[in-house]
Amino acid sequence: MIIGLGADHAGYHLKNIVRSYLQQQGITVRDFGTHTDAPCDYPDFALMVANAVAQGECDLGILICGTGVGMSISANKVKGIRAAHAQDPVTARLSRQHNDANVLCMGGRIIGAELAMEIVSAFLNASFTDEERHARRVHKVQMLEKRYTEGETEREPAG
Ligand code: RB5
């Protein structure tokens, strides 16, 4: 499994902790930066990680800014990305099981390292359920994405 990792200056320290945590478990990490705590712009790093996930270069992505909000807003602009802003392990797990999330966003100024590692672990150890209702809902999300990125006007299924 290859994890794409990215952060702005506000997520830089937590990103390094998460990177070490993943590497200790033998997980391959592609660290897209930032590589210092100098101020920078979260959309730049969200885009790099989201593109790598959308193009299949990374299996999943983890993005960290001050709150996790800017990263999630930005990553969700990239086609094929379902970025979950999760600050607790239950949300992280359910975002995989129910929403097929492929990027996890966290706030480096909001949560501590211990909690962050539990969140990451919950996210990575869960997978999408094959229950029909969740597949149907994710498909509807994909139809929304198609409609607003390609002008597609496919009708939503009834029910
Ligand atoms: C940076 O100061 C901060 O605004 C950013 O990291 C993030 O929290 C935005 O959503």
Side-chain angles (χ1 to χ4, degrees):
M1 178 183 282
I2 303 175
I3 302 297
L5 193 55
D8 70 356
H9 55 290
Y12 168 69
H13 288 293
L14 184 58
K15 171 177 70 70
N16 291 345
I17 292 169
V18 168
R19 187 183 62 210
S20 299
Y21 172 70
L22 294 173
Q23 289 171 336
Q24 277 164 16
Q25 296 178 54
I27 294 172
T28 303
V29 178
R30 275 187 67 188
D31 186 344
F32 289 85
T34 184
H35 300 294
T36 75
D37 60 6
C40 58
D41 299 334
Y42 58 81
D44 299 338
F45 300 93
L47 181 64
M48 285 190 276
V49 170
N51 274 338
V53 172
Q55 290 164 14
E57 294 165 18
C58 294
D59 298 296
L60 295 169
I62 299 175
L63 289 165
I64 307 172
C65 60
T67 59
V69 173
M71 286 297 195
S72 59
I73 290 172
S74 304
N76 277 314
K77 302 296 182 195
V78 175
K79 189 171 185 202
I81 294 303
R82 290 175 297 280
H85 180 211
Q87 314 263 48
D88 67 89
V90 177
T91 304
R93 173 174 58 81
L94 290 174
S95 77
R96 295 278 293 131
Q97 293 177 337
H98 289 190
N99 313 112
D100 201 14
N102 48 17
V103 173
L104 168 68
C105 302
M106 299 184 290
R109 290 176 175 163
I110 307 298
I111 58 172
E114 289 296 324
L115 180 55
M117 288 184 282
E118 284 198 30
I119 292 167
V120 167
S121 176
F123 187 77
L124 297 186
N125 288 318
S127 55
F128 187 52
T129 169
D130 56 6
E131 289 173 42
E132 192 277 334
R133 69 185 191 283
H134 296 305
R136 183 181 70 238
R137 292 162 190 164
V138 170
H139 177 71
K140 286 191 176 185
V141 172
Q142 290 168 329
M143 289 302 101
L144 286 175
E145 180 180 72
K146 198 169 163 66
R147 176 181 299 175
Y148 290 105
T149 58
E150 298 171 12
E152 177 62 48
T153 55
E154 179 181 321
R155 280 179 182 274
E156 288 160 16

